[in-house]
Amino acid sequence: MPAGRSGKRFWLAMVFFLLLILGSGTGKMTEKPTSGKNSRKGHALSATLLLALLLCADMVFIAVHAAYRLTPLFDNPLHSLDREMGYPEMFQYIKWFWVVILLLYMMISNRSFRFAAWGLLFAFLLADDVFMLHEVWGSRIAPLFTENILSGLRKQDIGELLVLAGAVLILLLPVGWAYRKGSPEFRQFSCNLFLLLAVLFFFGVILDPVHTVLRSYPVAEFIMGIAEDGGEMVAASLIAWYVFLQCVCGEYSCNSLAETVSRISKRKKAAC
């Protein structure tokens, strides 16, 4: 069977699988709960199951990438984590799309445009991944720099970092305004989301130049590549989980991220 045809079938199967994930995560929302307390427990469990499924899918993509790099089992380059428009990259697109839709839902259900500020930021992350915006704009300003401005980095790398940092800082301005005008619950929600965004920033931005410098060392480059791209996938899954949790369990909005995880863990133990 041609690699292209098998790749298309694999992707269609993944899309169907992800739709089932979304259905399993939201199914309890349509059931008539016996009480508000039981409803919140069910929603928290749905969010936890969604996170588990997302992380399992991340681990599969990382394992397949390792098999593609180290063994002859997979010969399709679309299995690679760092391949543009590859299967792992498309999975990331779906996560960011979900996050944007969930934030729009929160904006409508809460009748607050403050959630739109976060939605705009994640819409940019989605567009940047799909259309390679910071790569394109970074190449345009790259000639302004010299090769030795930062040891081991190309002019293209420096341009990409500056463009991405500048775009994110601009998009954080409306988030900052929304935070200042928002309720205590929205502020805590924003703090938690910003913390998860910092994790994404660490893997996607901080480790990226390190990965570039290590390209002449195959073993170190392989390990750093998995750490960078795999870390981005896990961070995106955590962000999708947290935003989904807020949609179905608004009571958690006033808790820190650590308190949220602790409360869910206690409820799971109590249920057992």
Side-chain angles (χ1 to χ4, degrees), residues 38-260:
N38 291 335
S39 176
R40 287 191 294 269
K41 286 183 178 180
H43 293 160
L45 178 59
S46 296
T48 304
L49 290 174
L50 177 63
L51 175 62
L53 291 169
L54 289 172
L55 292 178
C56 285
D58 290 338
M59 295 303 107
V60 169
F61 280 118
I62 293 172
V64 171
H65 166 79
Y68 165 75
R69 290 286 302 271
L70 301 176
T71 72
L73 295 177
F74 299 92
D75 59 355
N76 190 339
L78 293 177
H79 290 114
S80 178
L81 290 177
D82 56 4
R83 176 80 174 190
E84 296 296 338
M85 302 299 291
Y87 301 137
E89 188 78 8
M90 298 291 269
F91 187 42
Q92 289 290 85
Y93 301 163
I94 291 176
K95 294 178 194 175
W96 294 139
F97 179 72
W98 282 358
V99 169
V100 172
I101 295 301
L102 289 171
L103 287 168
L104 288 176
Y105 169 80
M106 294 176 73
M107 178 189 74
I108 295 172
S109 62
N110 290 280
R111 299 179 181 179
S112 173
F113 283 98
R114 296 184 180 91
F115 292 99
W118 279 111
L120 185 63
L121 176 59
F122 285 104
F124 168 77
L125 293 180
L126 173 60
D128 180 63
D129 275 352
V130 174
F131 301 108
M132 303 172 61
L133 298 181
H134 75 275
E135 288 90 346
V136 174
W137 296 340
S139 65
R140 294 180 179 178
I141 68 171
L144 300 176
F145 309 105
T146 59
E147 289 287 353
N148 59 353
I149 186 172
L150 287 175
S151 178
L153 293 181
R154 305 169 301 168
K155 293 188 291 184
Q156 174 73 19
D157 299 324
I158 299 170
E160 290 178 9
L161 288 173
L162 290 178
V163 168
L164 184 59
V168 171
L169 286 176
I170 291 174
L171 290 171
L172 282 176
L173 291 177
V175 173
W177 175 86
Y179 177 87
R180 184 177 179 182
K181 300 292 184 178
S183 64
E185 291 80 10
F186 178 83
R187 291 186 179 186
Q188 186 62 67
F189 168 79
S190 296
C191 287
N192 294 341
L193 202 53
F194 186 80
L195 178 62
L196 293 173
L197 201 63
V199 175
L200 177 72
F201 178 84
F202 172 78
F203 287 108
V205 179
I206 301 299
L207 291 189
D208 184 62
V210 178
H211 184 203
T212 301
V213 172
L214 294 176
R215 290 194 183 277
S216 57
Y217 305 93
V219 176
E221 185 273 338
F222 172 73
I223 296 174
M224 187 57 63
I226 289 182
E228 178 193 351
D229 297 315
E232 282 188 63
M233 295 190 72
V234 172
S237 292
L238 291 173
I239 291 173
W241 158 75
Y242 180 70
V243 175
F244 179 79
L245 181 65
Q246 299 311 300
C247 286
V248 295
C249 298
E251 64 174 290
Y252 293 100
S253 297
C254 58
N255 298 322
S256 68
L257 196 59
E259 290 172 336
T260 298

Side-chain angles (χ1 to χ4, degrees), residues 6-18 87:
S6 62
K8 289 180 181 178
R9 290 183 177 179
F10 174 82
W11 175 238
L12 288 174
M14 283 302 301
V15 170
F16 179 72
F17 175 67
L18 290 171
Y87 301 137

